[in-house]
Amino acid sequence: MSYVILLSVILLLVVHFYRKAQRQKVQPFPKHWHSLLLDNVLYYRNLSKERQVAFQQRMMQFLSEVYIDGVQLELQELDKILIAASAVIPVFGFKEWHYTNLSGILLYPDNFNEDMQFGSKDNLRNIGGIVGNGRFEKQMILSKKALYHGFKNTTDKSNTGIHEFVHLIDKLDERTDGVPERLLEHQYAIPWLNLIHKEMEAINNNHSDIRKYGGTNQVEFFAVAAEYFFERPDLLKSKHPELYEMLENCFKQKLG
């Protein structure tokens, strides 16, 4: 079974490079996607009508630059919508953005393990998304189950899709270290590091409501804190005003 999955992934990568050679044009935004976004993406629902149009354009730009393929599943429109929304949300504060370190996304039906297997009953199938390295460089792998859960549950301060795209943003300077140099002005780097360490200590001492995974390391803290910022901005602003302000400056978005 694992060989079949691995072969499927390799074949999809080959298809990707063929598609990349034939650059796609930006397609018009399908009008019926608006209602799907309203029903499934709270962030979009909270935008003004003018900003919603801008969000739609950014989604279509993203979809013209990155391929999305399903592994042992047939892609649905909502799959593409939620992935594109995950990509646009963290960079919507910037007039223009291109994920130059991403070529394609593979969508698995369920969570997977470190060997990228999802068909077994292995209890270690607890990964909802990864940004690839090595032979999977410039690739992202997402679990459809985790992707949908992130948008369906708007009270849990987590969103797998946003989490993985924040990792990509962190990786743009070729160092995945939890310090997004492309977003953070130089004078904020040291205060940001000091804040990270203070918040991680609180997490690891069970004195924080930030998801425990954020205490793993600087890289995961940045992604977890970003999830909190975009999912529950009012709560983050109330409980962690300093962190909220830093992320507001980082992402150039006022949400709370």
Side-chain angles (χ1 to χ4, degrees), residues 95-106:
K95 289 184 179 180
E96 185 175 358
W97 188 276
H98 304 277
Y99 286 97
T100 55
N101 57 348
L102 178 67
S103 296
I105 298 167
L106 301 177

Side-chain angles (χ1 to χ4, degrees), residues 43-44 46-47 51 55 58 85-95 97 99 162 166 169 183 226 229-231 233 236-237 243-256:
Y43 179 97
Y44 178 85
N46 288 336
L47 295 174
R51 296 288 283 164
F55 193 92
R58 296 283 291 274
S86 300
V88 173
I89 286 170
V91 295
F92 196 48
F94 300 87
K95 289 184 179 180
W97 188 276
Y99 286 97
I162 291 175
V166 169
I169 293 168
L183 305 188
F229 176 75
F230 289 109
E231 289 285 292
L236 180 66
K237 188 174 184 178
L243 178 59
Y244 173 86
E245 183 179 356
M246 190 70 76
L247 291 172
E248 183 182 75
N249 289 331
C250 180
F251 293 111
K252 304 292 187 292
Q253 300 189 50
K254 292 182 180 293
L255 302 177

